[in-house]
Amino acid sequence: MMRTRPPLQGSFGAVASTHWLASSSGMAVLERGGNAADAAVAAGFVLHVVEPHLNGPGGDLPAIVRVPGREPVVLAGQGPTPAAATIERMRAEGIAHIPGTGLLAAVVPGAVPAWLTLLRDHGTWAPADVLAFAIELAERGHRVLPRVARTIAGRAEFFREHWPASAALWTDPAPEAWALVRNPVLAGTYRRLADAGAGKGREAACDAAIAAWSEGFVAEAIDRHSRAPAMDSSGAAHAGLLTGDDLAGWRPGWEPTMSMPWRGTTVHKAGAWSQGTALLAALAIADPLLPERADAFDADLVHVAVEATKLALADRDAWFGDGADLGRLLDPAYLAERRALIGDAASLELRPGALRGEPRLPHVEAATAAPKPAGAGEPTRGDTCHIDVVDRDGMVISATPSGGWLQSSPTIADLGFCLGTRAQMLWLEPGLPTSLAPRIRPRTTLSPTMLVDDDGTVAALGTPGGDQQDQWQLTMLLGMRVLGLDPQAAIDAPSWHVTHLVSSFEPRVWEPGGLHVESRLGADTIAELERRGHAVTDAGPWSLGRLSFASHGPDGTIRAASNARDEQGYAALR
């Protein structure tokens, strides 16, 4: 199979991400003697600057980190809902669903404290050193991506009418593609975080920066900002529920992964507060029905993978949530029950299993042709960011930052960024694993992956994509372990995803039998999938997925790969 890029190999280190400036900044850290944690943090803060339409300091961060000689662990940087976030309070605002934009859906912003926690616990640099890259790009400027310019142009009128601080930052004037853009206020925020640790030891400097964020000037500014009503996608203006006390009362934490052996590797994912375990379930359901080896993604293989994915995501929608018990999800008997539902024809029903009794789904409508509310939810097919980092000593990090994108919520004028809206993933229906409640983590779509092969190779991979993240990772894993492709070829292989799921973002709908495919699957394969009842949408030849990959082998060999779709993801390696 042809590759868009060569399969990179080296022995010093690698950084692969969704933007070349993040990859090159992280690699510069490695070249200057930093380790993988230092490099990942520097790259993460750069992504806040150069992909502001896809993530920001007000967003969230799950990561999986493997230190040599230890088991992989999850860094849980998904902030919880405010203490005042109740179903009754939301219904008193006159809304049926939590809006996808504005202030009501804001949760505690977890990305910055999580990056600083990673730096404190596993890095070697001080906050001022890793922040220097993002500060320079925000202050001196960078060339804005065409997608960022299009996003701003599409929201310019709304910003000017309803969110004046966003208009002042982004639309005065609105940038053309590749124009030089600056965010000096954000640079100042980062500089104040760095200065908070001046004169302190490295770990103390990290703690001081976290305190300045969670209990100091950032928390104070967010508290003030949340009190002023702002227009949201409900069509009305609402004040937020987030307070400085909410920020002060939360810190990121370290958690064990959920994992499963599969075809010579162990796949590690985050827990029930993410959708990650659905990838494990899809692999486990499909595996006995898949060939040991195949030459291409034919209709039989894709059909089995798609139907297994539908079942796994139906369980996600019925059972996953913060604190949920998923202990039986990978039980062989339960998997056999789920696998028996796969037939020759495409399923057109949502079919969660009886994981812990009778399943219950939230009330959702099938999707119609009605347009999505302007600015609602999350960007499609490429939302979010991803970073994979490996250093020469074998520390491996997979991180998927997101939330707080520039169109999600009004800019905080004093800070230069906006809040995230992750609470839109929760429901105003009582009794669900994802019912709104105070101080819980919304079930996020953010889903980094780590592989620990039987031979000792450790790999990080992931992708942006909302509900599609684990689906596009599934196609990559099938490419590697069923088609026998190297990581770059597996990223380049034709991809697909289902929309036969309860959308995690506003509007909360589902599309019975929906299957989006890249046309490179081939006309015959697509026609056969349609004959089996899949509602196929041809998304074009190169449109689905923004995967990246980095690995460290037991002999010290480092590999990296990146996505050529959208012409902005790159891997740097030596």
Side-chain angles (χ1 to χ4, degrees):
M1 181 175 290
M2 291 291 292
R3 307 180 189 90
T4 59
R5 294 165 180 176
L8 302 181
Q9 295 191 44
S11 58
F12 177 77
V15 183
S17 82
T18 48
H19 196 293
W20 63 86
L21 287 175
S23 297
S24 59
S25 298
M27 195 67 202
V29 173
L30 295 179
E31 295 285 3
R32 296 179 197 178
N35 68 11
D38 303 318
V41 176
F45 279 109
V46 166
L47 284 175
H48 291 165
V49 177
V50 300
E51 289 196 315
H53 60 317
L54 304 178
N55 82 140
D60 13 63
L61 171 69
I64 303 178
V65 179
R66 193 263 191 176
V67 174
R70 303 184 197 174
E71 287 296 307
V73 290
V74 174
L75 174 59
Q78 174 57 63
T81 54
T86 65
I87 292 175
E88 295 74 22
R89 176 66 182 273
M90 288 289 187
R91 291 206 180 278
E93 298 287 342
I95 58 173
H97 296 284
I98 300 173
T101 66
L103 297 174
L104 275 178
V107 300
V108 173
V112 169
W115 284 126
L116 292 169
T117 297
L118 174 60
L119 184 68
R120 180 195 66 198
D121 294 352
H122 294 297
T124 64
W125 284 24
D129 299 321
V130 296
L131 282 164
F133 299 86
I135 289 171
E136 180 184 22
L137 287 165
E139 199 161 55
R140 295 181 58 188
H142 70 283
R143 298 291 172 177
V144 69
L145 294 165
R147 283 192 66 205
V148 181
R150 289 195 298 270
T151 298
I152 293 170
R155 297 296 283 158
E157 182 177 346
F158 179 88
F159 285 175
R160 293 183 184 116
E161 183 177 356
H162 298 294
W163 296 355
S166 296
L169 177 59
W170 297 113
T171 66
D172 191 19
E176 299 291 332
W178 304 115
L180 192 69
V181 297
R182 299 178 175 88
N183 189 342
V185 178
L186 179 59
T189 296
Y190 284 162
R191 187 169 282 110
R192 291 182 69 179
L193 293 178
D195 290 346
K200 302 178 185 294
R202 194 190 66 79
E203 292 184 16
C206 292
D207 284 333
I210 293 171
W213 178 275
S214 299
E215 301 174 40
F217 76 98
V218 173
E220 292 167 0
I222 288 173
D223 189 288
R224 291 191 301 271
H225 175 78
S226 296
R227 298 175 191 274
M231 181 64 69
D232 58 43
S233 53
S234 73
H238 297 98
L241 306 178
L242 191 64
T243 68
D245 288 342
D246 292 318
L247 273 74
W250 177 84
R251 293 293 187 274
W254 296 97
E255 302 177 358
T257 65
M258 294 192 72
S259 64
M260 182 189 77
W262 181 73
R263 297 203 173 199
T265 191
T266 299
V267 186
H268 291 264
K269 301 293 292 185
W273 54 272
S274 83
Q275 70 174 356
T277 311
L279 174 61
L280 305 182
L283 288 168
I285 292 169
D287 193 63
L289 304 179
L290 296 172
E292 283 301 309
R293 186 69 77 201
D295 295 327
F297 289 143
D298 60 19
D300 289 337
L301 194 159
V302 174
H303 174 76
V304 166
V306 164
E307 293 303 299
T309 297
K310 290 178 183 177
L311 295 169
L313 290 174
D315 278 344
R316 179 201 74 168
D317 293 330
W319 298 111
F320 287 27
D322 194 12
D325 177 10
L326 301 183
R328 189 167 170 256
L329 186 71
L330 303 178
D331 178 83
Y334 182 74
L335 292 169
E337 291 175 14
R338 306 296 281 147
R339 191 179 302 117
L341 297 176
I342 298 177
D344 293 333
S347 169
L348 301 179
E349 300 176 358
L350 293 173
R351 299 186 291 178
L355 187 66
R356 299 191 307 274
E358 192 66 25
R360 178 184 162 196
L361 289 168
H363 176 73
V364 291
E365 302 292 339
T368 67
K372 189 174 183 178
E378 184 172 66
T380 57
R381 286 195 196 157
D383 56 314
T384 306
C385 308
H386 187 76
I387 308 168
D388 298 306
V389 186
V390 172
D391 66 27
R392 67 195 308 172
D393 295 323
M395 184 185 297
V396 181
I397 297 171
S398 176
T400 310
S402 186
W405 42 83
L406 66 88
Q407 65 274 32
S408 67
S409 193
T411 296
I412 305 168
D414 295 341
L415 300 177
F417 64 83
C418 65
L419 295 172
T421 54
R422 191 64 61 182
Q424 68 179 287
M425 297 182 168
L426 297 168
W427 296 91
L428 301 184
E429 268 182 71
L432 300 170
T434 48
S435 296
L436 177 68
R439 299 188 182 95
I440 64 167
R441 290 174 291 187
R443 190 208 70 212
T444 182
T445 55
L446 307 180
S447 194
T449 295
M450 189 162 288
L451 308 177
V452 180
D453 291 358
D454 294 349
D455 69 2
T457 299
V458 181
L461 64 98
T463 178
D467 289 316
Q468 291 80 50
Q469 287 184 30
D470 285 298
Q471 301 192 62
W472 293 337
Q473 293 178 64
L474 174 66
T475 66
M476 182 178 182
L477 292 175
L478 294 175
M480 292 168 63
R481 302 287 168 160
V482 178
L483 302 190
L485 303 176
D486 64 64
Q488 185 62 58
I491 288 174
D492 290 342
S495 193
W496 65 85
H497 69 260
V498 305
T499 51
H500 181 104
L501 49 79
V502 179
S503 173
S504 296
F505 300 95
E506 186 185 14
R508 309 297 298 273
V509 296
W510 72 292
E511 299 177 8
L515 173 61
H516 292 235
V517 303
E518 289 188 330
S519 53
R520 293 180 298 122
L521 272 179
D524 291 345
T525 297
I526 293 172
E528 174 60 17
L529 291 169
E530 290 176 328
R531 188 194 68 77
R532 297 187 188 198
H534 297 282
V536 178
T537 297
D538 185 339
W542 294 90
S543 56
L544 306 181
R546 291 178 64 204
L547 287 147
S548 62
F549 172 97
S551 70
H552 183 277
D555 63 353
T557 299
I558 293 172
R559 292 179 169 85
S562 61
N563 171 59
R565 299 167 180 88
D566 291 338
E567 300 180 322
Q568 68 185 69
Y570 277 88
L573 176 146
R574 179 165 75 83

